[in-house]
């Protein structure tokens, strides 16, 4: 996960600098991780609510367990302001 986020940031930085953006407009590693965690949490929470309403219980339980594992892996999510889930 950390390797993927680092690779994403590296590629994003290259593209943005290639478009003439200055360092102040390029997200930091912390910005990227925050969007990954908070954005992922928002999307998965929204999807879980939908799945619970339309899918069989075992499938909903599977997605619940995935979301729980994500939260356990990112227990520091509380340091960021969690926003309303977005698509």
């Amino acid at each position: 996960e950390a390797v993927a986020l680092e690779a994403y940031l590296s590629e994003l930085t290259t593209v943005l600098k290639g478009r003439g953006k200055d360092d102040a407009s390029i997200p930091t590693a912390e910005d990227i991780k925050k969007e990954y965690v908070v954005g992922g949490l928002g999307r998965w929470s929204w999807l879980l609510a939908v799945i619970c309403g339309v899918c069989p219980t075992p499938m909903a339980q599977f997605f619940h367990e995935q979301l729980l594992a994500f939260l356990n892996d990112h227990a520091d999510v509380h340091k960021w302001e969690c926003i309303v889930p977005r698509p």
Side-chain angles (χ1 to χ4, degrees):
E1 186 174 271
V3 172
L5 292 175
E6 288 174 25
Y8 174 78
L9 178 58
S10 176
E11 181 66 19
L12 181 62
T13 300
T14 300
V15 169
L16 291 176
K17 284 188 174 186
R19 293 181 181 173
K21 302 291 184 181
D22 61 3
D23 288 342
S25 65
I26 296 174
T28 65
E30 180 75 5
D31 294 334
I32 297 295
K33 183 175 181 184
K34 177 181 176 183
E35 179 56 30
Y36 170 74
V37 174
V38 174
L41 175 59
R43 289 189 232 0
W44 280 103
S45 297
W46 180 86
L47 183 60
L48 179 62
V50 171
I51 286 172
C52 286
V54 297
C55 293
T57 300
M59 187 179 291
Q61 185 64 41
F62 172 80
F63 279 96
H64 171 271
E65 297 301 325
Q66 295 301 305
L67 181 56
L68 179 60
F70 186 81
L71 286 169
N72 286 333
D73 286 347
H74 302 285
D76 63 347
V77 71
H78 68 276
K79 71 182 178 182
W80 295 309
E81 180 181 330
C82 290
I83 59 173
V84 175
R86 59 193 184 275

